[in-house]
Amino acid sequence: NAGVTQTPKFRVLKTGQSMTLLCAQDMNHEYMYWYRQDPGMGLRLIHYSVGEGTTAKGEVPDGYNVSRLKKQNFLLGLESAAPSQTSVYFCASSSAQGLTEAFFGQGTRLTVV
Amino acid sequence: GENVEQHPSTLSVQEGDSAVIKCTYSDSASNYFPWYKQELGKGPQLIIDIRSNVGEKKDQRIAVTLNKTAKHFSLHITETQPEDSAVYFCAASDSGGYQKVTFGTGTKLQVIP
């Protein structure tokens, strides 16, 4: 009953470094999403995927890239981290479009110094 | 685009009292309205949702109401318990659009024993 699993849970990066956040779901969901959560701003969509091999931009995609090579995995990459990317990142998956009946991971707290 | 406003940002109630959180949305095309509970250090968890063809939905101590004409929806928690303390997010979605999900800014609910 893992649901949606994110790795790592915490990370500190120096400005300019790169990293990849991994999201894995075991519910055979077609739709996967990456959000960032900042104080007082709710959740904002970075990128999303409607199926294996597909990705699309969300509300705040700049500075991020994603890949969905396998249905169960959705990777979020930061090529050159900036302090403005300090945030808590959440992955979600759903069986239906529009985030209906979605499940979220536990989050990744990223600090860029 | 869609704009979701959520009030209040913080709410303190005595254990056993009721709590009400209100959201308004701007896009009349939105037709799915989920509510999420986020406990400290965890990802958001769907607690109840409502679709635009329904005016009210209940699940034990929680209920959601929707007024399509006024474009607002509310979460009602009765007989509050300390474990209800968390941040609650509303969202509005046009289930026909993968990226058209907009979250409110959250309400921090504190239930005082």
Side-chain angles (χ1 to χ4, degrees), chain B residues 11-101:
Chain B
L11 179 61
S12 292
V13 299
Q14 292 289 331
E15 181 177 358
D17 287 350
S18 296
V20 180
I21 302 170
K22 298 181 179 181
C23 289
T24 60
Y25 64 99
S26 60
D27 189 350
S28 57
S30 291
N31 56 16
Y32 175 68
F33 307 92
W35 285 89
Y36 290 88
K37 176 184 181 182
Q38 186 176 23
E39 297 176 337
L40 193 63
K42 297 184 179 180
Q45 180 181 12
L46 179 69
I47 56 172
I48 195 167
D49 56 16
I50 191 167
R51 300 182 187 274
S52 58
N53 60 347
V54 176
E56 183 177 4
K57 184 176 179 180
K58 289 183 178 180
D59 184 3
Q60 299 182 333
R61 294 186 298 107
I62 61 173
V64 58
T65 59
L66 171 65
N67 183 326
K68 288 189 296 181
T69 302
K71 295 193 182 71
H72 66 71
F73 55 113
S74 300
L75 178 71
H76 304 254
I77 306 174
T78 59
E79 301 174 11
T80 54
Q81 301 169 2
E83 52 264 37
D84 293 330
S85 295
V87 178
Y88 292 82
F89 291 96
C90 64
S93 165
D94 169 1
S95 58
Y98 307 108
Q99 61 180 0
K100 293 181 181 179
V101 179

